[in-house]
Amino acid sequence: MRILAIESSCDESAAAYLDIHKGRIRRLEHVVASQAVHEQYGGVVPEVAAREHSATLPGVLATLGEKVAGSRDGKKLGAKVDVVAVTQGPGLVTSLRVGIDTARSLAAAWEKPLIGVNHMEGHIYSNWLTGGGFADLPETDTSMFPALVLIVSGGHTELMLMKGHGKYRLLGSTRDDAAGETFDKSAKLLGLGYPGGPKLSKLALTGDPAAIAFPRPMLDDPSSEFSFSGLKTAVRHYVASHEQDLSNEIARADVAASVQAAIVDVLVTKTVRAARAQKVKTVFLAGGVAANKALRDALANAIASELPSVRYVQPQLAFCTDNAAMIAMAAYYNALRRKPDAWPTMRVKIGWEIGRAVSLRGLKGRSNPVTI
Ligand code: KG4
Ligand code: ZN
């Protein structure tokens, strides 16, 4: 199956081409254009992001066409595509719309089926891409299930039980800020700019993670719920009361390392606890924060020492933050199990959640868990 995928849910305009047969990758090409324009605003401005997607996405597709078909001519690329895939949600509505409308037009013009993909499911499937552990396994291989996925991105922090392809049950999520958001906001307080996660983790390299005992919210709570707003507040108070000392690079590095240690500690402890309770065979890491080296190393070490029979898999660095290769891989497993979507009616699914139990209408007073 040859899939062309588009991702535009936030501030990355991305396209990918995946040629996959029986679960084995034959060819993978991808292009990501990050929108630097948001740096000056200290965060993503939705209208600006949508305008940038409109301006950038055609060029991204033409570059992909050059790689795949040796030409920027859209027809040549179309001749090599069987399925068009696109991120349908969750994300910024105006940004998603640009990708969806582009995908609808291509599906109509090329007369190809269209598959809408959940962005978080895309992050999960980054673990099936090159270097992610399950690339090149036949699609019939389900030996990795049941699996636990720690999803950590700019907007989500979730522990998801994955019983099979497309079968999710949300065990817990954050009650307030996401892990990536905590990285970004702490970086902003330290004056590091946007996006703060990679900048904060770089500064942390030279700092002492034990320098400041920041709180580890909900660490001892047995549930799979998270909360990071208290940690963010503690960082704000610390920065406000140590303004003088923080002109010193070493002191700032200590704050960065200590915040990072607090976030990583909570994520790792709760993931290991849930993996043990759910008796999973595999633990996956997914989402932009999966690019964080301290988290990758700490989770790998904790699982190796505390749950030696559990396999730990993390995505290759290039596929942690938003990209379209992961959307293509998720689309492949969608296409194997369901009908395509109709291009004339495809809409944005702005708050699309996977794995949540929803109440079925008509079942008064009872909630019936259904995977959506
Ligand atoms: O998945 P993603 O690219 O976009 C969303 O779907 O949200 O995740 C972006 C988030 C941002 O909060 C960014 O700061 C964080 O991932 N991030 C990192 C690192 N690289 C990206 N956080 C910590 N360390 C990193 N190296
Ligand atoms: Zn993302």
Side-chain angles (χ1 to χ4, degrees):
M1 192 185 300
R2 299 166 307 169
I3 304 165
L4 175 106
I6 294 175
E7 154 65 38
S8 71
S9 64
C10 190
D11 58 342
E12 254 88 33
S13 308
Y17 181 83
L18 175 68
D19 182 356
I20 182 166
H21 182 67
K22 295 195 169 165
R24 294 200 164 90
I25 298 173
R26 285 171 163 170
R27 187 167 184 194
L28 175 62
E29 303 284 355
H30 81 125
V31 180
V32 182
S34 297
Q35 302 178 357
V37 60
H38 303 288
E39 261 185 68
Q40 60 186 294
Y41 306 111
V44 178
V45 182
E47 265 317 304
V48 176
R51 220 159 48 215
E52 285 282 305
H53 284 305
S54 294
T56 313
L57 210 43
V60 166
L61 285 162
T63 305
L64 186 73
E66 232 169 341
K67 288 186 176 209
V68 173
S71 166
R72 294 175 80 84
D73 178 344
K75 266 194 193 148
K76 297 239 165 70
L77 177 59
K80 289 184 173 288
V81 170
D82 302 311
V83 174
V84 177
V86 65
T87 304
Q88 211 177 343
L92 302 171
V93 62
T94 46
S95 289
L96 286 162
R97 190 168 287 147
V98 178
I100 290 175
D101 286 348
T102 307
R104 292 166 74 186
S105 307
L106 290 176
W110 291 342
E111 299 179 2
K112 305 293 178 196
L114 179 63
I115 297 270
V117 174
N118 179 287
H119 180 79
M120 306 321 290
E121 186 174 38
H123 276 301
I124 293 172
Y125 276 91
S126 61
N127 284 288
W128 269 259
L129 293 167
T130 333
F134 293 124
D136 286 330
L137 271 190
E139 69 207 13
T140 45
D141 189 326
T142 53
S143 62
M144 64 288 276
F145 301 124
L148 178 73
V149 195
L150 171 64
I151 307 175
V152 272
S153 71
H156 287 72
T157 301
E158 296 180 338
L159 277 170
M160 190 75 80
L161 187 65
M162 188 174 182
K163 291 190 190 151
H165 290 295
K167 291 187 183 144
Y168 307 105
R169 184 156 68 83
L170 182 69
L171 300 176
S173 59
T174 182
R175 294 179 177 175
D176 38 60
D177 294 346
E181 210 175 341
T182 312
F183 269 103
D184 293 337
K185 287 179 177 170
S186 303
K188 202 168 182 176
L189 288 166
L190 287 171
L192 297 177
Y194 181 88
K199 289 181 175 148
L200 188 131
S201 65
K202 192 168 171 227
L203 181 60
L205 287 174
T206 52
D208 173 8
I212 306 140
F214 283 125
R216 268 89 169 137
M218 298 187 73
L219 186 72
D220 298 322
D221 183 289
S223 77
S224 294
E225 301 280 299
F226 298 89
S227 166
F228 287 106
S229 68
L231 172 58
K232 178 190 66 190
T233 307
V235 176
R236 182 183 300 124
H237 286 158
Y238 186 90
V239 170
S241 57
H242 293 78
E243 223 170 305
Q244 294 255 296
D245 317 346
L246 291 176
S247 53
N248 173 336
E249 180 79 4
I250 296 170
R252 281 150 43 97
D254 281 350
V255 178
S258 301
V259 178
Q260 178 171 268
I263 298 171
V264 168
D265 204 4
V266 173
L267 294 174
V268 170
T269 304
K270 302 205 88 157
T271 303
V272 169
R273 194 183 291 150
R276 184 179 285 126
Q278 298 293 333
K279 299 187 172 64
V280 295
K281 291 188 187 157
T282 313
V283 171
F284 292 112
L285 181 61
V289 184
N292 185 272
K293 192 169 183 312
L295 175 61
R296 293 168 83 89
D297 293 349
L299 196 52
N301 290 337
I303 289 168
S305 65
E306 293 182 49
L307 302 168
S309 62
V310 171
R311 184 171 176 189
Y312 171 62
V313 178
Q314 57 192 12
Q316 195 184 316
L317 281 178
F319 302 126
C320 291
T321 45
D322 291 349
N323 66 87
M326 67 185 198
I327 302 302
M329 186 56 90
Y332 173 68
Y333 282 95
N334 269 263
L336 293 181
R337 65 173 184 262
R338 70 169 174 91
K339 288 202 179 97
D341 300 299
W343 70 261
T345 51
M346 180 183 265
R347 296 283 176 268
V348 172
K349 288 188 180 176
I350 182 172
W352 188 6
E353 301 279 3
I354 52 169
R356 279 192 196 269
V358 293
S359 285
L360 281 185
R361 238 188 258 162
L363 291 174
K364 229 180 175 181
R366 282 174 55 196
S367 97
N368 200 356
V370 175
T371 301
I372 48 173

PDB file of all heavy atoms in Angstrom, residues 262-283:
ATOM      1  N   ALA A 262      12.061  16.516  37.889  1.00  0.00           N
ATOM      2  CA  ALA A 262      10.746  16.349  38.527  1.00  0.00           C
ATOM      3  C   ALA A 262       9.737  15.778  37.526  1.00  0.00           C
ATOM      4  O   ALA A 262       8.981  14.847  37.831  1.00  0.00           O
ATOM      5  CB  ALA A 262      10.263  17.690  39.084  1.00  0.00           C
ATOM      6  N   ILE A 263       9.728  16.326  36.304  1.00  0.00           N
ATOM      7  CA  ILE A 263       8.788  15.851  35.274  1.00  0.00           C
ATOM      8  C   ILE A 263       9.082  14.379  34.943  1.00  0.00           C
ATOM      9  O   ILE A 263       8.184  13.530  34.923  1.00  0.00           O
ATOM     10  CB  ILE A 263       8.886  16.713  33.981  1.00  0.00           C
ATOM     11  CG1 ILE A 263       8.498  18.170  34.268  1.00  0.00           C
ATOM     12  CG2 ILE A 263       8.006  16.135  32.873  1.00  0.00           C
ATOM     13  CD1 ILE A 263       8.771  19.140  33.116  1.00  0.00           C
ATOM     14  N   VAL A 264      10.351  14.087  34.704  1.00  0.00           N
ATOM     15  CA  VAL A 264      10.747  12.729  34.308  1.00  0.00           C
ATOM     16  C   VAL A 264      10.426  11.722  35.416  1.00  0.00           C
ATOM     17  O   VAL A 264       9.905  10.632  35.161  1.00  0.00           O
ATOM     18  CB  VAL A 264      12.253  12.700  33.932  1.00  0.00           C
ATOM     19  CG1 VAL A 264      12.771  11.277  33.802  1.00  0.00           C
ATOM     20  CG2 VAL A 264      12.492  13.479  32.644  1.00  0.00           C
ATOM     21  N   ASP A 265      10.699  12.127  36.663  1.00  0.00           N
ATOM     22  CA  ASP A 265      10.441  11.254  37.809  1.00  0.00           C
ATOM     23  C   ASP A 265       8.970  10.837  37.852  1.00  0.00           C
ATOM     24  O   ASP A 265       8.639   9.650  37.996  1.00  0.00           O
ATOM     25  CB  ASP A 265      10.811  12.049  39.078  1.00  0.00           C
ATOM     26  CG  ASP A 265      11.155  11.134  40.227  1.00  0.00           C
ATOM     27  OD1 ASP A 265      11.178   9.914  40.011  1.00  0.00           O
ATOM     28  OD2 ASP A 265      11.388  11.646  41.349  1.00  0.00           O
ATOM     29  N   VAL A 266       8.067  11.813  37.706  1.00  0.00           N
ATOM     30  CA  VAL A 266       6.628  11.513  37.751  1.00  0.00           C
ATOM     31  C   VAL A 266       6.247  10.597  36.586  1.00  0.00           C
ATOM     32  O   VAL A 266       5.564   9.582  36.764  1.00  0.00           O
ATOM     33  CB  VAL A 266       5.795  12.818  37.697  1.00  0.00           C
ATOM     34  CG1 VAL A 266       4.314  12.504  37.562  1.00  0.00           C
ATOM     35  CG2 VAL A 266       6.046  13.674  38.935  1.00  0.00           C
ATOM     36  N   LEU A 267       6.691  10.955  35.385  1.00  0.00           N
ATOM     37  CA  LEU A 267       6.308  10.176  34.197  1.00  0.00           C
ATOM     38  C   LEU A 267       6.796   8.729  34.296  1.00  0.00           C
ATOM     39  O   LEU A 267       6.046   7.786  34.028  1.00  0.00           O
ATOM     40  CB  LEU A 267       6.872  10.829  32.920  1.00  0.00           C
ATOM     41  CG  LEU A 267       6.310  12.209  32.548  1.00  0.00           C
ATOM     42  CD1 LEU A 267       7.065  12.786  31.353  1.00  0.00           C
ATOM     43  CD2 LEU A 267       4.810  12.128  32.237  1.00  0.00           C
ATOM     44  N   VAL A 268       8.042   8.557  34.710  1.00  0.00           N
ATOM     45  CA  VAL A 268       8.629   7.214  34.759  1.00  0.00           C
ATOM     46  C   VAL A 268       7.981   6.378  35.864  1.00  0.00           C
ATOM     47  O   VAL A 268       7.573   5.230  35.638  1.00  0.00           O
ATOM     48  CB  VAL A 268      10.169   7.299  34.952  1.00  0.00           C
ATOM     49  CG1 VAL A 268      10.757   5.927  35.255  1.00  0.00           C
ATOM     50  CG2 VAL A 268      10.822   7.901  33.716  1.00  0.00           C
ATOM     51  N   THR A 269       7.828   6.956  37.051  1.00  0.00           N
ATOM     52  CA  THR A 269       7.255   6.203  38.183  1.00  0.00           C
ATOM     53  C   THR A 269       5.849   5.721  37.845  1.00  0.00           C
ATOM     54  O   THR A 269       5.499   4.559  38.073  1.00  0.00           O
ATOM     55  CB  THR A 269       7.224   7.095  39.445  1.00  0.00           C
ATOM     56  OG1 THR A 269       8.546   7.560  39.685  1.00  0.00           O
ATOM     57  CG2 THR A 269       6.725   6.336  40.654  1.00  0.00           C
ATOM     58  N   LYS A 270       5.038   6.622  37.274  1.00  0.00           N
ATOM     59  CA  LYS A 270       3.652   6.248  36.999  1.00  0.00           C
ATOM     60  C   LYS A 270       3.533   5.268  35.837  1.00  0.00           C
ATOM     61  O   LYS A 270       2.656   4.413  35.821  1.00  0.00           O
ATOM     62  CB  LYS A 270       2.796   7.506  36.768  1.00  0.00           C
ATOM     63  CG  LYS A 270       2.838   8.440  37.979  1.00  0.00           C
ATOM     64  CD  LYS A 270       1.656   9.328  38.095  1.00  0.00           C
ATOM     65  CE  LYS A 270       0.552   8.657  38.857  1.00  0.00           C
ATOM     66  NZ  LYS A 270      -0.398   9.575  39.482  1.00  0.00           N
ATOM     67  N   THR A 271       4.434   5.379  34.887  1.00  0.00           N
ATOM     68  CA  THR A 271       4.413   4.442  33.751  1.00  0.00           C
ATOM     69  C   THR A 271       4.790   3.037  34.211  1.00  0.00           C
ATOM     70  O   THR A 271       4.125   2.057  33.861  1.00  0.00           O
ATOM     71  CB  THR A 271       5.375   4.926  32.640  1.00  0.00           C
ATOM     72  OG1 THR A 271       4.982   6.241  32.260  1.00  0.00           O
ATOM     73  CG2 THR A 271       5.328   4.016  31.426  1.00  0.00           C
ATOM     74  N   VAL A 272       5.836   2.934  35.000  1.00  0.00           N
ATOM     75  CA  VAL A 272       6.272   1.616  35.488  1.00  0.00           C
ATOM     76  C   VAL A 272       5.166   0.992  36.350  1.00  0.00           C
ATOM     77  O   VAL A 272       4.843  -0.191  36.218  1.00  0.00           O
ATOM     78  CB  VAL A 272       7.604   1.737  36.271  1.00  0.00           C
ATOM     79  CG1 VAL A 272       7.923   0.441  37.009  1.00  0.00           C
ATOM     80  CG2 VAL A 272       8.741   2.102  35.326  1.00  0.00           C
ATOM     81  N   ARG A 273       4.547   1.816  37.196  1.00  0.00           N
ATOM     82  CA  ARG A 273       3.471   1.314  38.065  1.00  0.00           C
ATOM     83  C   ARG A 273       2.303   0.768  37.220  1.00  0.00           C
ATOM     84  O   ARG A 273       1.790  -0.316  37.479  1.00  0.00           O
ATOM     85  CB  ARG A 273       2.994   2.453  38.968  1.00  0.00           C
ATOM     86  CG  ARG A 273       2.136   1.977  40.129  1.00  0.00           C
ATOM     87  CD  ARG A 273       1.653   3.171  40.941  1.00  0.00           C
ATOM     88  NE  ARG A 273       2.730   3.824  41.656  1.00  0.00           N
ATOM     89  CZ  ARG A 273       2.750   5.133  41.951  1.00  0.00           C
ATOM     90  NH1 ARG A 273       1.773   5.921  41.557  1.00  0.00           N
ATOM     91  NH2 ARG A 273       3.747   5.652  42.633  1.00  0.00           N
ATOM     92  N   ALA A 274       1.892   1.539  36.213  1.00  0.00           N
ATOM     93  CA  ALA A 274       0.762   1.113  35.372  1.00  0.00           C
ATOM     94  C   ALA A 274       1.128  -0.124  34.551  1.00  0.00           C
ATOM     95  O   ALA A 274       0.304  -1.027  34.373  1.00  0.00           O
ATOM     96  CB  ALA A 274       0.342   2.253  34.451  1.00  0.00           C
ATOM     97  N   ALA A 275       2.363  -0.179  34.077  1.00  0.00           N
ATOM     98  CA  ALA A 275       2.805  -1.339  33.272  1.00  0.00           C
ATOM     99  C   ALA A 275       2.755  -2.606  34.112  1.00  0.00           C
ATOM    100  O   ALA A 275       2.337  -3.668  33.641  1.00  0.00           O
ATOM    101  CB  ALA A 275       4.218  -1.101  32.743  1.00  0.00           C
ATOM    102  N   ARG A 276       3.155  -2.475  35.374  1.00  0.00           N
ATOM    103  CA  ARG A 276       3.139  -3.636  36.275  1.00  0.00           C
ATOM    104  C   ARG A 276       1.682  -4.050  36.546  1.00  0.00           C
ATOM    105  O   ARG A 276       1.327  -5.217  36.432  1.00  0.00           O
ATOM    106  CB  ARG A 276       3.850  -3.261  37.578  1.00  0.00           C
ATOM    107  CG  ARG A 276       3.961  -4.440  38.542  1.00  0.00           C
ATOM    108  CD  ARG A 276       4.698  -4.065  39.818  1.00  0.00           C
ATOM    109  NE  ARG A 276       6.128  -3.957  39.624  1.00  0.00           N
ATOM    110  CZ  ARG A 276       6.860  -2.886  39.956  1.00  0.00           C
ATOM    111  NH1 ARG A 276       6.280  -1.828  40.482  1.00  0.00           N
ATOM    112  NH2 ARG A 276       8.156  -2.878  39.778  1.00  0.00           N
ATOM    113  N   ALA A 277       0.838  -3.070  36.850  1.00  0.00           N
ATOM    114  CA  ALA A 277      -0.564  -3.370  37.200  1.00  0.00           C
ATOM    115  C   ALA A 277      -1.311  -3.996  36.020  1.00  0.00           C
ATOM    116  O   ALA A 277      -2.137  -4.884  36.202  1.00  0.00           O
ATOM    117  CB  ALA A 277      -1.260  -2.093  37.659  1.00  0.00           C
ATOM    118  N   GLN A 278      -1.006  -3.531  34.821  1.00  0.00           N
ATOM    119  CA  GLN A 278      -1.740  -4.007  33.636  1.00  0.00           C
ATOM    120  C   GLN A 278      -1.099  -5.244  33.017  1.00  0.00           C
ATOM    121  O   GLN A 278      -1.609  -5.778  32.034  1.00  0.00           O
ATOM    122  CB  GLN A 278      -1.818  -2.896  32.568  1.00  0.00           C
ATOM    123  CG  GLN A 278      -2.573  -1.653  33.013  1.00  0.00           C
ATOM    124  CD  GLN A 278      -4.054  -1.905  33.231  1.00  0.00           C
ATOM    125  OE1 GLN A 278      -4.637  -2.790  32.619  1.00  0.00           O
ATOM    126  NE2 GLN A 278      -4.673  -1.135  34.113  1.00  0.00           N
ATOM    127  N   LYS A 279       0.040  -5.658  33.572  1.00  0.00           N
ATOM    128  CA  LYS A 279       0.759  -6.852  33.077  1.00  0.00           C
ATOM    129  C   LYS A 279       0.981  -6.790  31.560  1.00  0.00           C
ATOM    130  O   LYS A 279       0.661  -7.737  30.820  1.00  0.00           O
ATOM    131  CB  LYS A 279      -0.005  -8.121  33.440  1.00  0.00           C
ATOM    132  CG  LYS A 279      -0.176  -8.312  34.935  1.00  0.00           C
ATOM    133  CD  LYS A 279      -0.790  -9.689  35.224  1.00  0.00           C
ATOM    134  CE  LYS A 279      -0.809 -10.018  36.691  1.00  0.00           C
ATOM    135  NZ  LYS A 279      -1.642  -9.140  37.512  1.00  0.00           N
ATOM    136  N   VAL A 280       1.502  -5.678  31.097  1.00  0.00           N
ATOM    137  CA  VAL A 280       1.693  -5.513  29.652  1.00  0.00           C
ATOM    138  C   VAL A 280       2.975  -6.203  29.190  1.00  0.00           C
ATOM    139  O   VAL A 280       3.870  -6.482  29.987  1.00  0.00           O
ATOM    140  CB  VAL A 280       1.747  -4.011  29.247  1.00  0.00           C
ATOM    141  CG1 VAL A 280       0.418  -3.344  29.525  1.00  0.00           C
ATOM    142  CG2 VAL A 280       2.889  -3.292  29.940  1.00  0.00           C
ATOM    143  N   LYS A 281       3.032  -6.455  27.898  1.00  0.00           N
ATOM    144  CA  LYS A 281       4.245  -7.067  27.324  1.00  0.00           C
ATOM    145  C   LYS A 281       5.226  -6.004  26.844  1.00  0.00           C
ATOM    146  O   LYS A 281       6.414  -6.266  26.716  1.00  0.00           O
ATOM    147  CB  LYS A 281       3.858  -7.954  26.138  1.00  0.00           C
ATOM    148  CG  LYS A 281       3.100  -9.192  26.555  1.00  0.00           C
ATOM    149  CD  LYS A 281       2.952 -10.089  25.345  1.00  0.00           C
ATOM    150  CE  LYS A 281       2.066 -11.260  25.639  1.00  0.00           C
ATOM    151  NZ  LYS A 281       1.470 -11.812  24.422  1.00  0.00           N
ATOM    152  N   THR A 282       4.661  -4.825  26.484  1.00  0.00           N
ATOM    153  CA  THR A 282       5.505  -3.783  25.888  1.00  0.00           C
ATOM    154  C   THR A 282       5.134  -2.418  26.473  1.00  0.00           C
ATOM    155  O   THR A 282       3.965  -2.174  26.771  1.00  0.00           O
ATOM    156  CB  THR A 282       5.262  -3.711  24.360  1.00  0.00           C
ATOM    157  OG1 THR A 282       5.287  -5.026  23.837  1.00  0.00           O
ATOM    158  CG2 THR A 282       6.302  -2.860  23.650  1.00  0.00           C
ATOM    159  N   VAL A 283       6.126  -1.561  26.597  1.00  0.00           N
ATOM    160  CA  VAL A 283       5.863  -0.149  26.927  1.00  0.00           C
ATOM    161  C   VAL A 283       6.380   0.686  25.764  1.00  0.00           C
ATOM    162  O   VAL A 283       7.529   0.513  25.324  1.00  0.00           O
ATOM    163  CB  VAL A 283       6.545   0.282  28.236  1.00  0.00           C
ATOM    164  CG1 VAL A 283       6.450   1.792  28.427  1.00  0.00           C
ATOM    165  CG2 VAL A 283       5.916  -0.427  29.441  1.00  0.00           C
TER     166      VAL A 283
END
